[in-house]
Amino acid sequence: MKELDAQTLAAAAVVPSPRQLAWQNMEFYAFLHFGVNTFTDSEWGTGSENPDCFQPKNLDCRQWAKVIKAAGMRGMLLTAKHHDGFCLWPTETTDHSVASSSWRDGKGDVVREAAEAARNSGLAFGLYLSPWDRHEASYGTGEAYNEFYRRQLRELLTNYGELFCVWFDGACGEGKDGRKQVYDWESYFSLIRELQPNAVISICGRDVRWCGNEAGVGRSSEWSVVPWFHSEADRIAGVAAGEKAPKKIDPAFWDLGSRKAIRNAGKLIWYPAEVDVSIRPGWFYHEKEDWGVKALAKLREIYYKSVGANASLLLNIPPNREGKIADRDVETLLSLGAQLQIDFKENLAEGSTLTADYCKDDRHTAQMALDPDPARYWHSGAFSKPVEFILDLGEDFDINKVVLKEHIATGQQIEKFSLWWDSNLLGEGAPKWERLASETVIGHKRVCRFDERRLQRLKLVIEEARGFATLEAFEAY
Ligand code: FUL
């Protein structure tokens, strides 16, 4: 076992805020890019679009919610305004909005319909409001624009019920005559904290970290405790217009949280990762990209490499000109939902026996990790040596997945673990342990997948941890 140093112990003591903790349980939720681009067939609008082009023939946010829910997602995040500046709600801040379109005689409000549909389906609701605004004349003038932007935020934060997330991207294109807008992020953040204290502020914010690409690729070791400067990076970068997001993680940012990565860091923060990706090549709907809807196998892989590897998954499903999720996307999403239901149909570890070499006290025995109540979990006390858990299912089952969770309310400490199965099926003589997986972090959730085995006993070894370790769940499927 590695020696503990002060920096490692400091990392082990960092815990999520209540809003971050609630967000972790969202796991998988939808992004909806919808706006004038849907009708002009573009990805980045110019800001000079005629509002009247916004004509969803048959807007049906209930259909969005139904599909999102059936796909196994827990929330929806709508682009209330993209870089073109066109607002999907009847704002008082500009006439570049749905109120200036003849669609529904200027009385439409997509944000309201989406928020209501989400809530009626038991989905959380969140908003994206692009700071970069290619329409607004005050963009690039500094405080005047910041005030304009805060007024837009205020409308969205007060009129549409509880939001689980406000999502900021860092795009910061030039304004008129090459003017550069300096965003007053701090004032945006404090407004959100004041009006929606439970909402996480994502990407260019301090609660949720962008994974670093838009291709759906997460890290194999995704640490939630990282040096604080990562929470500034996307804002400072102020991604210039025209720059495309990378397709993969910059190798220099592959390791954000190992002991080596945090060695020289000052402040450490809880800043968990989100993987964002579109079901289609683009973020907005384009008929010509109907061929490019990702296949079920690809989406499932993305799911396991994000949700199954201590990140959340924000999957973009752009509505079409009808104002609906297109048939192909619906088909794929329904099969994804069905597949995930099959994948996690029955937790075979429920009701079985889990023992560990040691635990802190009677209230934190290994058996607690089988209790679905997150308040009941195993705690090592001081992590004095590697700890072995034995899960005995009582009889043989065909198993190909194990789900592990740390009790992240007390932080993230596990650094290395391995999973084994007893191939001595007859149970006579000594167990014959064979390795199934060897991994680093667990965090909120780690799904270990392996070739199906018929087995009765599994062994988990926590090999390295930061001073202490916890286990909130040990599930087998
Ligand atoms: C980027 C934007 O420029 C894209 O259009 C899209 O909204 C993506 C989620 O964020 O920064």
Side-chain angles (χ1 to χ4, degrees):
M1 266 184 22
K2 287 193 217 155
E3 291 257 331
L4 281 173
D5 54 83
Q7 184 73 337
T8 308
L9 290 174
V14 178
V15 295
S17 65
R19 68 175 78 84
Q20 287 174 314
L21 200 54
W23 166 86
Q24 296 272 184
N25 288 322
M26 295 291 301
E27 292 188 353
F28 181 27
Y29 38 96
F31 217 169
L32 293 122
H33 275 67
F34 190 47
V36 284
N37 293 343
T38 315
F39 300 89
T40 59
D41 213 7
S42 47
E43 278 290 305
W44 279 1
T46 58
S48 53
E49 293 81 7
N50 181 341
D52 211 37
C53 75
F54 186 80
Q55 295 289 346
K57 282 195 213 74
N58 212 341
L59 179 71
D60 189 355
C61 299
R62 282 184 304 193
Q63 183 246 12
W64 305 356
K66 221 167 121 187
V67 175
I68 290 168
K69 184 105 186 170
M73 302 192 232
R74 296 179 182 158
M76 71 158 87
L77 227 157
L78 174 68
T79 53
K81 174 185 91 168
H82 204 252
H83 308 330
D84 48 72
F86 181 79
C87 299
L88 293 186
W89 80 103
T91 175
E92 283 176 10
T93 59
T94 170
D95 42 19
H96 201 53
S97 83
V98 280
S100 303
S101 165
S102 60
W103 174 66
R104 297 206 176 147
D105 296 327
K107 303 228 162 47
D109 184 344
V110 184
V111 177
R112 178 154 323 276
E113 285 188 39
E116 280 174 9
R119 293 209 182 89
N120 290 339
S121 303
L123 295 168
F125 187 65
L127 290 168
Y128 166 114
L129 184 70
S130 169
W132 183 27
D133 190 320
R134 304 180 87 179
H135 176 84
E136 171 54 26
S138 67
Y139 182 86
T141 61
E143 182 46 24
Y145 179 75
N146 283 321
E147 180 50 26
F148 166 86
Y149 187 78
R150 280 190 300 267
R151 280 169 55 219
Q152 294 199 326
L153 266 180
R154 187 175 280 279
E155 290 181 353
L156 294 171
L157 298 171
T158 38
N159 295 334
Y160 298 96
E162 169 124 4
L163 303 179
F164 82 98
C165 169
V166 180
W167 208 95
F168 290 119
D169 76 52
C172 181
E174 283 181 356
K176 223 172 152 229
D177 310 322
R179 281 187 308 223
K180 174 114 176 97
Q181 173 66 34
V182 178
Y183 301 136
D184 185 358
W185 292 107
E186 292 306 325
S187 71
Y188 309 163
F189 296 166
S190 54
L191 196 61
I192 298 169
R193 292 293 194 238
E194 177 200 328
L195 300 171
Q196 293 278 348
N198 299 326
V200 288
I201 308 177
S202 300
I203 315 311
C204 288
R206 301 226 169 85
D207 299 320
V208 175
R209 168 168 56 86
W210 184 44
C211 69
N213 67 89
E214 291 179 345
V217 188
R219 292 172 177 77
S220 45
S221 302
E222 197 56 89
W223 283 96
S224 298
V225 177
V226 299
W228 70 272
F229 67 81
H230 290 296
S231 69
E232 309 282 296
D234 292 314
R235 264 174 303 143
I236 293 167
V239 187
E243 227 173 79
K244 285 279 170 229
K247 288 271 176 248
K248 54 182 201 274
I249 295 165
D250 183 334
F253 294 111
W254 182 252
D255 175 11
L256 303 185
S258 73
R259 290 195 196 188
K260 191 165 160 244
I262 62 172
R263 197 175 45 202
N264 298 328
K267 198 162 82 183
L268 296 166
I269 55 166
W270 189 270
Y271 198 40
E274 176 185 84
V275 168
D276 65 328
V277 65
S278 184
I279 194 169
R280 291 166 163 261
W283 289 100
F284 284 87
Y285 177 83
H286 310 289
E287 198 180 347
K288 59 178 181 289
E289 289 182 353
D290 278 352
W291 60 268
V293 176
K294 289 188 176 54
L296 167 64
K298 171 86 181 161
L299 291 176
R300 190 173 172 223
E301 210 43 38
I302 292 176
Y303 177 89
Y304 278 111
K305 289 190 170 152
S306 51
V307 178
N310 197 35
S312 65
L313 175 56
L314 173 58
L315 178 66
N316 181 61
I317 45 172
N320 61 15
R321 291 182 185 177
E322 283 269 303
K324 287 183 169 179
I325 314 284
D327 292 347
R328 275 177 207 236
D329 311 54
V330 172
E331 249 172 59
T332 313
L333 289 165
L334 295 185
S335 17
L336 177 63
Q339 183 64 57
L340 291 175
Q341 282 207 352
I342 295 169
D343 287 0
F344 298 101
K345 191 157 171 259
E346 194 188 353
N347 170 17
L348 298 163
E350 216 174 281
S352 58
T353 324
L354 185 64
T355 52
D357 294 341
Y358 63 96
C359 62
K360 185 179 171 199
D361 53 39
D362 288 353
R363 289 181 306 118
H364 296 95
T365 60
Q367 194 67 28
M368 293 293 181
L370 299 188
D371 192 313
D373 179 352
R376 290 154 75 89
Y377 59 97
W378 170 84
H379 191 303
S380 64
F383 189 77
S384 49
K385 55 175 190 218
V387 57
E388 275 189 24
F389 293 78
I390 308 286
L391 180 73
D392 191 331
L393 300 171
E395 54 184 298
D396 295 348
F397 290 102
D398 293 335
I399 307 265
N400 63 11
K401 259 178 264 75
V402 162
V403 176
L404 301 168
K405 297 176 94 173
E406 283 179 77
H407 183 65
I408 55 164
T410 52
Q412 184 182 13
Q413 291 87 18
I414 296 172
E415 294 176 305
K416 196 171 172 218
F417 72 92
S418 54
L419 188 70
W420 309 71
W421 72 294
D422 182 3
S423 60
N424 177 8
L425 277 180
L426 297 175
E428 284 162 17
K432 229 175 111 208
W433 294 115
E434 284 182 38
R435 193 192 295 262
L436 291 168
S438 216
E439 300 281 1
T440 54
V441 300
I442 294 180
H444 168 69
K445 185 181 268 189
R446 165 72 78 172
V447 185
C448 302
R449 289 178 295 163
F450 41 85
D451 291 339
E452 191 156 294
R453 301 285 188 338
R454 176 150 295 189
L455 59 85
Q456 183 181 331
R457 275 173 299 273
L458 282 160
K459 178 168 80 170
L460 167 70
V461 187
I462 300 178
E463 296 167 14
E464 298 277 3
R466 299 179 168 179
F468 68 97
T470 64
L471 194 68
E472 188 177 291
F474 190 147
E475 300 166 3
Y477 298 91

